Amino acid sequence: MAEEDDTRIRILQSLRGKICEGKNLGPCSGPNRQRDLCTFCTISLDQEEVFRTKVFDKSLSPFYGEDFYFEIPRPFQCLSFYVFAKGVFQRDLPVGKVSIRKEELCKFSGKEHWFGLQPVDPNSEVQGKVHLEMRLNELIIENGSMCQQLLVRIIECQGLPLISGQNCDPYATVSLVGPARFDQKKTKVKKKTSDPQFEETFYFEVTRPNSYTKKSHFQVEEEDIEKLEIKVDLWNNGNLAQDVFLGETRVSVKILRNDHIHRAWYLLQPKGNGKSKTDDLGSLRLNVTYTEDNVLPSAYYTPLRTLLLKSPDIKPISASAAHILGDICRERYEAVLPVVRLLLHHGRLVSFVSAIVALELENTQEANTIFRGNSLATRLIDDMMKIVGRSYLTVTLKPVLDEICESNKTCEIDPIKLKEGDNVEVNKENLQGYVQKVFSSITQSSSSCPPLMCDVFRSLRQLASKRFPDDPHVQYSAVSSFVFLRFFAVAVLSPHTFQLRPHHPDLEVSRTLTLISKTIQTLGSWGSLSKNKLSSFKESYMYDFFKSFQEDKCIGKVKKFLDEISSNVSKESSGVEDSVVLKEGEVQKRAQGRKRIGKNFKKRWLRVTNRELSYHKHRGKEALCIMPVKNIRAVEKLDLSAFNRKNMFQVLHSEKPLYMQAGNCVEASEWVEVLSQVSRCNPDRLGTFHPSAYLAGAWLCCRSLNDSQPGCKPCTPTLLANLQLDIDCDRETERIFSLFTSSYSKLQKMEGKRDSTCQSPNFHTN
């Protein structure tokens, strides 16, 4: 997250989208053609992987259907999607890639596009930029004649890629290239850096001495200008291994015809500019939305924020600013979320949702069709549950989903999909056991349901009963259509999306979760537990399986659970906060007290709850160290100078700092964010920290020799906010303002049709 500063504009980047499907993946002919290709996709910022899909089994045209969202914590040049063939006894092999430069992302925003796959090879995997200066000098030699000399100064590079996870050892070659000449010079090697400072100057002869006399006008001949160019190649010094190509750029000398001095940044390009002809590798259908929020100081948003917060009180509710936004942006997925987050933060969401639900029910004619569509009401409640119910899902479903994903029992009951040797009765028993565990976990979880969700469910129940007083089931179906169908069942189907699993499940487990999700949807739908409803199953095997749950006690458990989460009785807190896992995953941890050289980093499983931070040798093993979160004094990112490793962060407490390296920049940012939030109210938080490490008897950042010296840099301010919500109100208001301004023409049309007696909101901020 960006630093909070009342005088600065914050630039916050995020990426949302979907990897939809592939078509005809792999070479279309030849020995490399594979018919049974198991593939998966990854997303990389430049060359740093930040997302991975599950593996799709044996198909050249797989349907991935993977949604993604993450904050982008650093500058980047290129977004890439890679398709890999899953290796069994060997490493995964790249099939192809789609690369989109940052400045081109806006062309594809919010819409699905088919992209042809390009080949993946070392000479095309480039990132970064180089800063060059070129100058033509006039020289008078001994015999009095004049010649021209081209000066090329390579100043620096930025954003070079990691090599095997570490900073590279870059050097550059600078060449003057023409039809009949190739003069090359080389810089010194810079050690362990992605941003080398070269500051080296090279000289090349451009024209011969006898081409000019003392009195001739100083200029370069047209024929030389058109044919000469400077070529800069970046390489990683491999020492005993082969050097690795990092990128190139070419600049024509003719750029100096009108100006004898030229200085500019150049993006590095693939070798030969990536124009070689390749075989057809297939295509990938993607939906990508890149968002860059330019967030102003808070005072600029006060008028619009005030207007939005009045929305629940406006009559009719359709004239409120929040409803109008949902109306004019009905087609846009991202329109409702910032409204939900803003109203949620200020405690105005329940009253607004209730008003919107009442409006929708007025236009609903039959009880069995309520909340079926993708309306403003359903979108509001869906987003609310995803934000507020995250820890509720973790407490309720994570233990049983971990068991399902790790035990790997076969649960296939579709006769067509059974494998040789499968026993359908054993599979049915396995599936029934899993469903019973998930069902019990849900129906016994009412005490953990967040109060705000209970408030919304209570309102749904009351409004539905009022609208359809003769239907005894509508009070239950109104609630179950959200909590079962749109909340629990969806989380069971895609646990990774809700941070319930660190990685996507494999294909067999995904199939098991699909079957469980289908059953949970039906079990939870009050009014569907009758024989006439069972006939609605399209699959006969699901009809037979579900009959085993056709018991009054299942219906009673569902009804009791729905009563408890939507009753008029306010929930009372027990005073003891449940332990909730906020984040866990693999990191590289530096051993404490070690010297700078040697194998000081080891893989560890890091786990943070709302109570403690712990690390383990492996996932599921006993903790090697447990630190109460109340002991955390600061959490900050670590400079590259400390250990020559990117994506490092430090946890400061009463003893020696914990130094850890995340897998990528997104992971590092998320670790710092969640640890900072969980410890933000600790009384002993530090005001300053050291951005580097204490090595060889001194702090590398400030060179102080005292290892207990107070920090040399102010700690990053942490916004006081609900840990589970993590809402930046100014950013949400900026997004709402952008949505209004981009839909200005729709607003004008709406204003012309609106009754003059309705309240007309003014959307302009200062």
Side-chain angles (χ1 to χ4, degrees):
M1 300 293 290
E3 292 186 10
E4 189 72 4
D5 189 332
D6 288 339
T7 63
R8 292 178 55 189
I9 295 177
R10 295 180 293 147
I11 301 176
L12 306 175
Q13 307 173 97
S14 62
L15 193 71
R16 181 191 300 277
K18 188 171 188 175
I19 301 175
C20 304
E21 62 179 316
K23 183 186 291 184
N24 299 326
L25 300 181
C28 62
S29 61
N32 294 325
R33 182 64 165 174
Q34 300 181 49
R35 294 184 178 180
D36 297 331
L37 209 61
C38 297
T39 62
F40 64 92
C41 294
T42 66
I43 302 177
S44 293
L45 293 174
D46 296 324
Q47 291 182 42
E48 183 178 19
E49 181 182 320
V50 295
F51 180 85
R52 178 175 291 215
T53 71
K54 62 187 177 184
V55 178
F56 198 94
D57 196 17
K58 297 182 179 180
S59 174
L60 297 180
S61 298
F63 181 82
Y64 296 107
E66 294 273 5
D67 295 305
F68 58 86
Y69 174 82
F70 50 85
E71 299 287 324
I72 302 175
R74 62 166 175 82
F76 72 102
Q77 296 177 20
C78 190
L79 175 70
S80 298
F81 298 82
Y82 291 83
V83 178
F84 286 90
K86 183 68 177 174
V88 180
F89 301 109
Q90 57 183 351
R91 65 184 179 88
D92 301 330
L93 299 175
V95 175
K97 69 174 182 179
V98 173
S99 291
I100 310 172
R101 290 209 168 271
K102 178 182 176 181
E103 57 270 20
E104 296 176 343
L105 283 170
C106 60
K107 299 178 184 177
F108 311 106
S109 183
K111 296 181 180 179
E112 292 183 358
H113 295 268
W114 281 100
F115 296 87
L117 292 180
Q118 300 299 315
V120 178
D121 65 83
N123 290 334
S124 69
E125 297 296 286
V126 303
Q127 69 178 63
K129 56 185 179 179
V130 59
H131 196 189
L132 299 177
E133 181 182 297
M134 296 170 57
R135 180 186 310 217
L136 278 170
N137 290 334
E138 181 184 84
L139 296 179
I140 302 176
I141 60 175
E142 293 180 358
N143 63 4
S145 61
M146 299 177 66
C147 71
Q148 283 194 306
Q149 189 180 58
L150 177 63
L151 176 152
V152 180
R153 178 179 164 223
I154 179 167
I155 303 168
E156 61 180 316
C157 289
Q158 289 183 3
L160 297 182
L162 301 178
I163 302 296
S164 301
Q166 303 299 319
N167 286 316
C168 55
D169 294 336
Y171 70 89
T173 59
V174 182
S175 308
L176 180 64
V177 181
R181 60 187 301 184
F182 184 85
D183 298 338
Q184 186 178 88
K185 303 179 187 295
K186 177 182 173 183
T187 69
K188 295 177 181 178
V189 176
K190 300 296 180 180
K191 293 291 186 179
K192 302 297 181 186
T193 177
S194 297
D195 304 308
Q197 300 286 325
F198 289 111
E199 285 294 351
E200 295 191 42
T201 303
F202 302 103
Y203 300 91
F204 299 91
E205 180 185 308
V206 177
T207 57
R208 297 183 180 182
N210 59 6
S211 299
Y212 295 87
T213 65
K214 288 182 180 180
K215 296 181 180 179
S216 66
H217 181 67
F218 177 62
Q219 63 181 16
V220 180
E221 296 175 347
E222 289 294 327
E223 55 196 21
D224 291 334
I225 287 289
E226 297 298 329
K227 297 176 182 179
L228 294 178
E229 67 178 7
I230 286 294
K231 178 171 171 283
V232 179
D233 294 271
L234 271 297
W235 299 84
N236 176 64
N237 182 38
N239 292 321
L240 299 178
Q242 186 176 358
D243 292 354
V244 177
F245 176 75
L246 301 179
E248 70 172 31
T249 190
R250 296 170 180 259
V251 185
S252 175
V253 178
K254 69 181 180 181
I255 202 170
L256 296 171
R257 276 195 305 193
N258 299 321
D259 188 355
H260 285 187
I261 301 176
H262 174 74
R263 184 170 177 167
W265 283 95
Y266 289 91
L267 294 175
L268 295 175
Q269 303 294 331
K271 186 169 287 188
N273 210 17
K275 295 180 180 178
S276 58
K277 293 184 179 180
T278 60
D279 200 354
D280 183 8
L281 300 175
S283 54
L284 200 60
R285 183 162 62 94
L286 303 171
N287 187 329
V288 182
T289 299
Y290 167 73
T291 304
E292 186 174 286
D293 296 316
N294 295 277
V295 183
L296 304 173
S298 185
Y300 286 86
Y301 298 109
T302 300
L304 178 58
R305 185 164 51 239
T306 301
L307 185 66
L308 289 161
L309 294 178
K310 290 180 180 178
S311 292
D313 306 321
I314 301 298
K315 302 236 186 311
I317 192 65
S318 57
S320 67
H323 186 281
I324 290 172
L325 178 66
D327 204 15
I328 62 176
C329 299
R330 193 174 301 170
E331 309 278 323
R332 300 182 65 170
Y333 169 84
E334 73 276 14
V336 172
L337 184 59
V339 173
V340 171
R341 294 171 70 87
L342 183 67
L343 295 177
L344 190 57
H345 182 82
H346 290 278
R348 302 287 284 154
L349 181 64
V350 176
S351 54
F352 181 68
V353 169
S354 297
I356 296 298
V357 167
L359 179 63
E360 179 167 327
L361 287 173
E362 285 179 15
N363 299 318
T364 304
Q365 303 305 316
E366 297 182 13
N368 61 357
T369 62
I370 63 171
F371 309 127
R372 287 285 181 88
N374 188 26
S375 64
L376 178 58
T378 59
R379 290 160 69 193
L380 285 167
I381 299 173
D382 280 354
D383 284 340
M384 177 276 296
M385 292 191 299
K386 289 175 184 176
I387 298 169
V388 177
R390 190 170 64 178
S391 62
Y392 179 34
L393 285 176
T394 302
V395 171
T396 305
L397 292 182
K398 186 168 177 30
V400 65
L401 288 177
D402 285 343
E403 179 186 345
I404 293 169
C405 293
E406 291 163 15
S407 60
N408 230 359
K409 292 181 182 178
T410 302
C411 297
E412 184 56 72
I413 58 174
D414 183 353
I416 298 176
K417 296 183 178 181
L418 288 173
K419 297 178 182 178
E420 187 176 351
D422 280 353
N423 186 320
V424 69
E425 293 303 320
V426 173
N427 292 358
K428 189 179 293 186
E429 185 177 332
N430 292 338
L431 181 60
Q432 187 171 5
Y434 284 154
V435 170
Q436 289 284 11
K437 288 184 177 181
V438 173
F439 182 69
S440 297
S441 296
I442 293 171
T443 54
Q444 295 172 13
S445 70
S446 61
S447 62
S448 300
C449 186
L452 192 140
M453 287 178 63
C454 292
D455 291 342
V456 170
F457 295 151
R458 180 165 60 251
S459 178
L460 284 173
R461 179 175 182 160
Q462 292 172 349
L463 290 168
S465 297
K466 183 178 179 181
R467 176 68 179 86
F468 300 102
D470 298 329
D471 190 324
H473 300 311
V474 73
Q475 59 178 320
Y476 297 111
S477 60
V479 179
S480 66
S481 62
F482 286 102
V483 72
F484 277 99
L485 272 67
R486 296 172 180 264
F487 187 59
F488 284 122
V490 177
V492 169
L493 187 63
S494 303
H496 177 74
T497 305
F498 294 85
Q499 292 82 49
L500 298 175
R501 293 289 297 170
H503 301 290
H504 287 288
D506 61 34
L507 295 174
E508 188 169 329
V509 174
S510 294
R511 174 60 178 165
T512 297
L513 295 177
T514 299
L515 294 171
I516 295 172
S517 180
K518 281 185 176 182
T519 310
I520 291 299
Q521 286 184 54
T522 308
L523 282 172
S525 298
W526 175 257
S528 66
L529 298 176
S530 57
K531 291 182 180 180
N532 64 320
K533 288 291 182 180
L534 283 176
S535 62
S536 65
F537 276 112
K538 295 179 180 179
E539 309 95 338
S540 59
Y541 63 87
M542 286 300 295
Y543 173 87
D544 294 334
F545 174 70
F546 193 76
K547 283 194 298 185
S548 63
F549 295 93
Q550 187 62 17
E551 300 176 3
D552 290 340
K553 64 179 183 180
C554 286
I555 300 175
K557 287 180 179 179
V558 171
K559 183 177 179 180
K560 181 175 181 291
F561 170 69
L562 295 175
D563 282 337
E564 290 171 345
I565 64 172
S566 61
S567 66
N568 289 318
V569 180
S570 297
K571 292 175 58 179
E572 294 185 6
S573 173
S574 63
V576 178
E577 189 178 12
D578 292 329
S579 179
V580 178
V581 177
L582 302 175
K583 185 172 177 61
E584 59 181 339
E586 191 174 80
V587 298
Q588 292 278 348
K589 178 190 168 292
R590 186 178 188 271
Q592 292 176 279
R594 296 291 184 88
K595 296 181 179 179
R596 190 170 190 177
I597 59 175
K599 294 185 177 179
N600 294 333
F601 286 86
K602 294 184 178 180
K603 288 183 180 180
R604 292 290 182 257
W605 187 263
L606 191 63
R607 192 170 189 260
V608 58
T609 72
N610 53 333
R611 295 178 181 175
E612 62 191 27
L613 169 68
S614 60
Y615 60 84
H616 314 246
K617 190 170 184 178
H618 300 290
R619 184 167 181 246
K621 299 295 183 181
E622 288 188 16
L624 299 175
C625 176
I626 298 177
M627 179 194 306
V629 295
K630 64 182 180 181
N631 293 349
I632 297 175
R633 305 186 69 190
V635 183
E636 297 287 347
K637 291 187 177 180
L638 207 61
D639 282 355
L640 194 62
S641 61
F643 303 106
N644 284 319
R645 289 175 175 241
K646 285 189 173 182
N647 305 320
M648 287 203 66
F649 61 97
Q650 55 182 323
V651 180
L652 306 177
H653 57 122
S654 56
E655 300 177 16
K656 292 183 178 180
L658 290 178
Y659 295 128
M660 282 163 284
Q661 182 184 28
N664 56 60
C665 63
V666 172
E667 281 285 310
S669 184
E670 289 176 354
W671 278 117
V672 171
E673 182 70 16
V674 72
L675 285 166
S676 297
Q677 286 289 347
V678 79
S679 62
R680 71 190 186 278
C681 295
N682 290 351
D684 296 327
R685 282 188 66 88
L686 297 173
T688 59
F689 76 103
H690 289 285
S692 196
Y694 185 83
L695 297 171
W699 288 102
L700 299 181
C701 42
C702 59
R703 310 311 301 176
S704 172
L705 302 180
N706 183 1
D707 63 349
S708 59
Q709 176 76 20
C712 56
K713 184 177 180 180
C715 287
T716 306
T718 303
L719 294 174
L720 288 178
N722 185 303
L723 175 62
Q724 299 299 325
L725 303 184
D726 185 25
I727 294 172
D728 183 339
C729 287
D730 292 341
R731 185 181 192 182
E732 305 305 335
T733 312
E734 168 61 35
R735 288 180 169 177
I736 292 170
F737 179 71
S738 297
L739 288 165
F740 273 131
T741 53
S742 64
S743 305
Y744 188 68
S745 59
K746 291 184 179 180
L747 279 173
Q748 289 180 312
K749 291 180 182 178
M750 181 178 291
E751 188 175 11
K753 296 178 182 178
R754 188 168 296 278
D755 188 340
S756 59
T757 61
C758 293
Q759 300 182 43
S760 269
N762 175 17
F763 302 112
H764 297 286
T765 60
N766 292 340

